[in-house]
Amino acid sequence: KYDPKPRRTIVGTIGNLNGNQQRYLFTPNNKSLPQFLCPPTFRGLMADDSSTTGNNHQNDKDTTTSVICKAEYKYGSWKSNMRWPPCYNVQPIGGSCDVEGE
């Protein structure tokens, strides 16, 4: 099915929503953009990526903040009753690099 709404691809990192292991916020690298709420299905992606760490949630948090991801925003999907705009199709694209720390 074709969706006529325009989309924007955004690059950024993922963080837990106030320590909640079930909801994640996507923080764009472009600081002029707001944070985005990841879909509930993104939890499954993070569980697959951190399967070698077992149930250690500290390692899960380190994994999410050190991975750069891309996400899509559909224009018009942010409703007035939502605190954060939703993002879709969140996919990891690689590890982050701290140039200042080298």
Side-chain angles (χ1 to χ4, degrees), residues 47-84:
D48 291 344
D49 290 344
S50 61
S51 61
T52 58
T53 61
N55 292 329
N56 187 341
H57 294 299
Q58 182 62 36
N59 287 344
D60 289 348
K61 184 177 180 186
D62 291 342
T63 300
T64 60
T65 57
S66 64
V67 174
I68 296 193
C69 297
K70 70 175 183 176
E72 290 183 351
Y73 171 70
K74 294 179 188 175
Y75 288 98
S77 62
W78 190 4
K79 307 296 181 201
S80 61
N81 62 343
M82 299 176 174
R83 183 170 180 181
W84 296 283

